[in-house]
Amino acid sequence: MRQYQIDPEKPVKLKKLDADAVGDWEGKKKAAQKQFKKLQKELADLQEILYAEQKRKVLIVLQAMDTGGKDGTIRSLLEKVNPQGVRIANFKVPSEMELAHDYLWRVHAAIPAKGEMVIFNRSQYEDVLVVRVHELVTKEVWKKRFDQINAFEKMLAEEGTTILKFYLHISKDEQKQRFLERLADPKKQWKFNPADLEERKLWDAYMDAYQDVLNKTSTAWAPWYAIPANHNWYRNLCVASIIVETLGSLQLKYPSPLQNSNQYIDFLNHEE
Ligand code: AMP
Ligand code: MG
């Protein structure tokens, strides 16, 4: 799965990234789903230790075009996880209060504390994506943000945060299919916003902006992964594998066992 990690030395061209790819799992959807179930359980176990240990912080950033699968990824990833110690932070159009501050203000307030795992549904990257595409600030302003974000994430990493960033890559055609599905299903229509179609018209500008994000802000301390996301089952498998592998490498540990547990057991067994 590491093949999807963006190496800043070898910049990606998003046009060449196949959103339909399924790696070595061609024709093996059932097996992939089985493997994903195993990973869900492993993730739940790792998160339990992360929470018990109260030392490290884990930040997972999700970015994608509309219908790209951010919500679905979050739902599947966390299916077996204990909701204690996990938090989702959604970044919408900034409020007046948020706009009165620098763009990282609301982001900093939402980062994980010790023992926490936080998933960002959209993130600081909106400030170099939608903000750039819609020219909400000048080029001079957004250009500086790549370095600012890298420095911000470096500080978080040095302070004990493990950061993983996922861009879920769907094709423009897949987006059309997903919008049509949403519109055809009364239970899904609430997710559709007519403004999404205006965004769709700007697809190419968004791809340019995403490409810059991936190539300029994938760092050793906060790597980007560009995940083929036309197939939900493969997307889930990739994201879960990368998270489980990364958390596994942290060597998380339950706090040391109590030295005097016998004393407490004795107390409880002899209480009046
Ligand atoms: P959704 O995630 O579909 O509920 O939509 C949230 C909307 O908020 C998206 O259209 C984002 O592009 C937009 N958004 C998020 N962050 C910002 C930002 N910093 N500036 C402007 N729009 C934003
Ligand atoms: Mg939306």
Side-chain angles (χ1 to χ4, degrees):
M1 298 301 175
R2 297 281 162 186
Q3 63 178 302
Y4 298 123
Q5 183 171 344
I6 304 298
D7 175 355
E9 303 292 314
K10 296 182 215 131
V12 278
K13 286 249 179 289
L14 273 187
K15 281 212 169 78
K16 295 209 176 126
L17 208 96
D18 181 11
D20 265 318
V22 294
D24 301 332
W25 295 82
E26 190 72 58
K28 297 188 202 156
K29 179 173 168 184
K30 280 262 143 50
Q33 285 170 325
K34 204 169 150 201
Q35 173 68 6
F36 177 66
K37 282 210 154 70
K38 216 176 111 203
L39 290 166
Q40 279 180 318
K41 181 77 181 52
E42 281 177 41
L43 176 62
D45 291 346
L46 286 163
Q47 188 271 333
E48 188 76 27
I49 309 174
L50 175 82
Y51 186 62
E53 190 186 50
Q54 289 290 313
K55 263 194 185 159
R56 305 205 51 106
K57 308 142 182 171
V58 176
L59 174 60
I60 296 163
V61 171
L62 293 183
Q63 283 289 159
M65 295 296 284
D66 286 314
T67 77
K70 299 188 296 297
D71 297 350
T73 302
I74 293 171
R75 198 172 343 103
S76 325
L77 267 181
L78 299 185
E79 206 174 10
K80 296 206 173 84
V81 169
N82 181 348
Q84 291 265 42
V86 184
R87 183 157 51 80
I88 314 299
N90 286 288
F91 294 94
K92 307 268 181 184
V93 177
S95 66
E96 205 177 322
M97 174 78 134
E98 287 167 345
L99 278 176
H101 292 79
D102 69 87
Y103 69 100
L104 289 176
W105 181 71
R106 65 174 183 166
V107 177
H108 205 164
I111 61 157
K114 285 179 179 170
E116 242 190 337
M117 181 163 104
V118 172
I119 303 186
F120 277 8
N121 186 343
R122 303 186 189 271
S123 64
Q124 59 272 30
Y125 290 98
E126 292 293 322
D127 290 282
V128 280
L129 291 163
V130 63
V131 166
R132 166 180 173 176
V133 170
H134 287 274
E135 299 177 9
L136 302 178
V137 300
T138 61
K139 182 171 183 181
E140 206 197 348
V141 170
W142 62 253
K143 274 216 130 171
K144 293 195 182 120
R145 292 183 173 176
F146 299 116
D147 286 343
Q148 291 165 354
I149 291 172
N150 286 341
F152 170 68
E153 291 175 350
K154 184 158 204 210
M155 181 278 290
L156 295 180
E158 285 172 354
E159 291 283 320
T161 310
T162 299
I163 307 172
L164 292 172
K165 303 182 294 201
F166 296 97
Y167 161 61
L168 311 176
H169 183 59
I170 56 165
S171 61
K172 194 175 179 190
D173 205 50
E174 179 64 22
Q175 189 192 52
K176 178 178 172 177
Q177 296 314 317
R178 291 183 183 193
F179 275 143
L180 289 172
E181 246 170 70
R182 271 185 191 180
L183 288 164
D185 183 350
K187 287 187 187 154
K188 283 189 178 169
Q189 280 174 0
W190 65 273
K191 278 193 160 200
F192 181 79
N193 179 346
D196 293 348
L197 296 184
E198 293 305 310
E199 297 303 286
R200 180 173 164 80
K201 285 189 200 157
L202 300 166
W203 184 275
D204 290 345
Y206 270 106
M207 288 303 109
D208 286 348
Y210 265 109
Q211 190 167 295
D212 269 356
V213 162
L214 295 173
N215 291 328
K216 291 180 195 293
T217 61
S218 190
T219 54
W221 56 89
W224 270 111
Y225 295 86
I227 306 294
N230 274 4
H231 299 285
N232 296 351
W233 58 270
Y234 186 64
R235 170 203 78 203
N236 285 346
L237 181 66
C238 292
V239 174
S241 301
I242 292 161
I243 296 174
V244 165
E245 198 184 308
T246 305
L247 293 191
S249 72
L250 294 180
Q251 299 188 308
L252 302 165
K253 279 195 249 6
Y254 280 108
S256 359
L258 290 173
Q259 296 304 310
N260 47 359
S261 58
N262 281 339
Q263 195 187 316
Y264 300 131
I265 294 168
D266 213 42
F267 173 87
L268 290 166
N269 284 334
H270 293 91
E271 71 184 346
E272 297 293 311

